[in-house]
Amino acid sequence: MMDLVISDKVHDESRQGEALLLEPVAGKNNGRKLYIESYGCAMNFSDSEIVASILSEKGFETTTDYTNADVIFINTCSIRENAETRVRNRLKEFKVAKSKNPGMVVGVLGCMAERLKAKFLEEEKLVDVVVGPDAYRDLPNLIDQVDSGQKAVNVLLSREETYADISPVRLNSNGINAFVSIMRGCDNMCSFCVVPFTRGRERSRDPFSIVNECTDLFDRGYREVTLLGQNVDSYKWTASEEAEGAIVNFANLLELVSQINPDLRVRFSTSHPKDITDEVLYTIAKYDNICNYIHLPVQSGNSRVLELMNRTYDREWYINRIDAIRRIIPECAISTDVITGFCTETDEEHKETVSMMEYVQYDFAYMFMYSERPGTLAAKRYADDIPEATKAARLTEIVALQQKYSLVRLQAQIGKVQRVLIEGFSKKSKNDYCGRTDQNAMMVFPVDERYKPGMYVNVIAERCTTATLMGTIVG
Ligand code: SAH
Ligand code: SF4
Ligand code: F3S
């Protein structure tokens, strides 16, 4: 059974499997071609840009055709079983290419590499290199090792690595939106989740390097940054002793980035219900260029299930955070993640997830059936005892419900004028532009030659589907 994913926002799985392009640094071309493919969350896509930067320094050129690559990297995700299955199937295709070109190096990067470590080399004989998310600086050495006839593994996790000094090569970029990593790892131990094991301890990146990267992006014409972390609300950076140990928290960081330029839109993902503070909400409300959109994963609407999930909040706490958002930022769009059929979840408990969705009326939701991950707390403690058919039926029910609310939320925008950042032509037609509203809704509208991608326009919403607004530029 496939996961169902609604809408195409930040950790959009439809981006999975993109080939990423990079230009060689002038004068350093080493004559070898690299092909990178990324799966999973925005963090992985952002990491591939760091990998590209490290290898372009060594003179690698890229190709979009893996069959003629000298090095193939696949940056992997372990979040659910089907994410791993997808990677294994892709490796089978790489195996065919490698049989025709035995000198080809095949590397597995990212979360699956970290989860399986050297076992990967036994399980998938074609793989030459296995590299975890904190070891990308070592890639040039590891490739040398493979060139000299050995297999190579580096899956050391770090308490410090943030790649702060590496300026990512922007891959497949429209030159307008960019992801900026502000922290790595996760210290929460949600019982279903593999991320703390694949990404290690939480650490925050130096705010000055973040502001510099965003400033540089703005100077190069980018108009939107998305600050990335597994739990951005626990961002915390302590200054040196000379600065008297001043602390920069997430609200402070948001403010710093928003002050770069009023024309730079600031988005962020993911917020955690236990950590999102009123200070963060007031900061969003204070700056027009911090977008009114919060992704606040609920996972379940039932307090007993939330406790088993080790989410460290209950239903009342979550509702309190939703109410605070509605009070402080009345126009804010809210999206969520939901898991159906977690261990021991009863029909009544599932109904509380349904009633939570009715209460909040989310703008979007990413919805998944529970997938047991080896090594997690839930896998150790609880039986995965909800039949697949029940998980699927609960999923189908909430997907239908969410379709309804996605439509309701977009319909409420009709007749209103929205400020839209033009991202490019719409997928369907060169006669239309597309871009997102402050609240992250996709708007499609006829091209007007006076305006180009990267510019802001006011658009009146006239019609909508469950996923897209359609309108016309005004004024
Ligand atoms: N750090 C983010 C989530 C990262 S993973 C947060 O805490 O909200 C993205 C989503 O995948 C999670 O929110 C959860 O809904 C889903 N997910 C994670 N592990 C899962 C599993 N074992 N089975 C099904 N869905 C899972
Ligand atoms: Fe996983 Fe929970 Fe961390 Fe999110 S906060 S990455 S769900 S452990
Ligand atoms: Fe992201 Fe998947 Fe890893 S969601 S953090 S790439 S397990």
Side-chain angles (χ1 to χ4, degrees):
M1 185 74 193
M2 289 279 293
D3 288 337
L4 292 175
V5 180
I6 294 272
S7 129
D8 57 354
K9 301 307 177 298
V10 174
H11 53 262
D12 176 6
E13 299 200 334
S14 72
R15 291 189 65 198
Q16 285 186 347
E18 277 175 33
L20 301 173
L21 287 176
L22 86 115
E23 297 295 325
V25 173
K28 279 199 185 168
N29 193 334
N30 68 4
R32 296 176 85 181
K33 293 201 193 87
L34 167 73
Y35 173 88
I36 309 186
E37 203 170 273
S38 303
Y39 292 77
C41 64
M43 199 66 106
N44 248 18
F45 283 77
S46 166
D47 281 1
S48 289
E49 300 186 328
I50 287 166
V51 170
S53 173
I54 291 168
L55 289 176
S56 79
E57 279 293 317
K58 296 286 169 193
F60 281 85
E61 192 188 338
T62 53
T63 169
T64 49
D65 173 10
Y66 70 86
T67 57
N68 74 15
D70 300 292
V71 175
I72 295 182
F73 281 155
I74 180 161
N75 196 354
T76 60
C77 175
S78 286
I79 201 81
R80 285 170 291 276
E81 193 179 358
N82 59 14
E84 294 202 351
T85 309
R86 227 170 276 156
V87 167
R88 295 209 192 255
N89 288 338
R90 192 63 172 145
L91 284 172
K92 287 188 192 124
E93 290 165 26
F94 294 158
K95 195 171 175 177
V96 176
K98 188 167 170 164
S99 67
K100 293 184 188 140
N101 173 8
M104 189 184 259
V105 177
V106 176
V108 177
L109 316 182
C111 291
M112 233 178 132
E114 191 63 49
R115 191 176 84 71
L116 291 159
K117 306 191 168 56
K119 259 200 293 185
F120 224 115
L121 298 176
E122 294 156 31
E123 290 179 21
E124 305 281 352
K125 294 282 185 249
L126 87 155
V127 174
D128 304 296
V129 201
V130 177
V131 191
D134 286 346
Y136 296 146
R137 285 182 204 269
D138 199 23
L139 278 169
N141 297 328
L142 297 166
I143 293 175
D144 286 347
Q145 214 172 306
V146 174
D147 290 341
S148 72
Q150 294 158 273
K151 299 259 175 181
V153 179
N154 187 343
V155 288
L156 288 176
L157 287 172
S158 159
R159 280 176 175 256
E160 287 92 34
E161 182 63 272
T162 59
Y163 300 109
D165 57 312
I166 294 183
S167 126
V169 172
R170 301 293 161 182
L171 298 164
N172 271 15
S173 168
N174 59 6
I176 296 163
N177 329 92
F179 290 130
V180 176
S181 216
I182 64 164
M183 57 207 294
R184 299 182 70 83
C186 182
D187 277 354
N188 298 312
M189 275 286 176
C190 302
S191 63
F192 52 79
C193 184
V194 77
V195 173
F197 304 95
T198 62
R199 294 252 160 194
R201 297 304 297 270
E202 181 183 291
R203 66 222 96 121
S204 296
R205 176 178 170 193
D206 175 344
F208 302 106
S209 76
I210 298 169
V211 170
N212 285 343
E213 187 176 328
C214 295
T215 306
D216 178 56
L217 284 165
F218 184 80
D219 292 343
R220 284 160 46 207
Y222 284 79
R223 289 295 173 266
E224 184 179 287
V225 290
T226 303
L227 308 180
L228 293 180
Q230 294 298 351
N231 176 0
V232 290
D233 302 291
S234 71
Y235 177 88
K236 187 175 166 209
W237 190 82
T238 311
S240 61
E241 273 172 31
E242 301 92 79
E244 294 172 341
I247 286 175
V248 178
N249 66 17
F250 183 58
N252 307 142
L253 180 72
L254 266 182
E255 185 151 34
L256 285 172
V257 176
S258 72
Q259 285 170 341
I260 292 171
N261 193 294
D263 279 338
L264 180 68
R265 272 187 171 174
V266 185
R267 299 187 187 275
F268 52 90
S269 184
T270 301
S271 302
H272 196 296
K274 90 174 147 68
D275 293 314
I276 190 165
T277 59
D278 286 357
E279 188 192 5
V280 166
L281 302 180
Y282 283 115
T283 306
I284 299 169
K286 182 171 166 196
Y287 292 93
D288 279 346
N289 59 331
I290 306 180
C291 292
N292 289 342
Y293 168 56
I294 298 176
H295 182 62
L296 198 67
V298 65
Q299 315 298 1
S300 164
N302 171 265
S303 294
R304 189 191 71 89
V305 174
L306 287 168
E307 165 111 47
L308 288 187
M309 288 177 163
N310 202 24
R311 287 290 287 182
T312 68
Y313 55 85
D314 59 11
R315 182 181 171 92
E316 285 61 45
W317 176 278
Y318 188 88
I319 288 177
N320 166 288
R321 295 293 75 208
I322 294 292
D323 293 348
I325 295 169
R326 299 276 187 236
R327 185 175 69 244
I328 299 166
I329 322 165
E331 295 290 299
C332 197
I334 305 176
S335 62
T336 200
D337 294 345
V338 181
I339 296 176
T340 64
F342 186 66
C343 315
T344 74
E345 182 188 67
T346 65
D347 277 331
E348 281 61 44
E349 289 165 342
H350 165 70
K351 287 204 184 90
E352 285 204 73
T353 297
V354 172
S355 72
M356 180 68 89
M357 294 174 73
E358 288 165 347
Y359 181 80
V360 182
Q361 304 203 2
Y362 294 106
D363 292 77
F364 327 97
Y366 304 86
M367 292 160 279
F368 314 100
M369 298 194 293
Y370 173 57
S371 164
E372 185 178 82
R373 308 310 295 130
T376 55
L377 293 181
K380 287 183 193 151
R381 285 184 195 160
Y382 315 119
D384 177 14
D385 58 353
I386 305 301
E388 291 296 292
T390 308
K391 289 180 184 174
R394 289 178 188 168
L395 182 64
T396 305
E397 181 188 356
I398 62 172
V399 165
L401 184 65
Q402 183 52 42
Q403 294 268 34
K404 181 177 113 185
Y405 288 122
S406 292
L407 186 62
V408 166
R409 296 286 296 173
L410 288 182
Q411 279 169 339
Q413 300 302 318
I414 291 174
K416 292 187 188 160
V417 176
Q418 308 277 351
R419 191 162 185 250
V420 173
L421 173 60
I422 308 175
E423 293 182 12
F425 293 110
S426 90
K427 276 186 206 150
K428 289 195 189 135
S429 161
K430 286 256 182 307
N431 298 324
D432 290 327
Y433 278 144
C434 68
R436 277 171 300 150
T437 68
D438 187 332
Q439 285 127 317
N440 212 35
M442 188 53 82
M443 178 88 85
V444 173
F445 48 97
V447 169
D448 175 332
E449 292 299 338
R450 288 171 298 168
Y451 306 105
K452 301 275 172 264
M455 291 169 79
Y456 290 96
V457 280
N458 290 323
V459 180
I460 183 160
E462 292 159 333
R463 286 166 296 131
C464 71
T465 64
T466 54
T468 313
L469 289 167
M470 282 149 293
T472 309
I473 297 177
V474 290

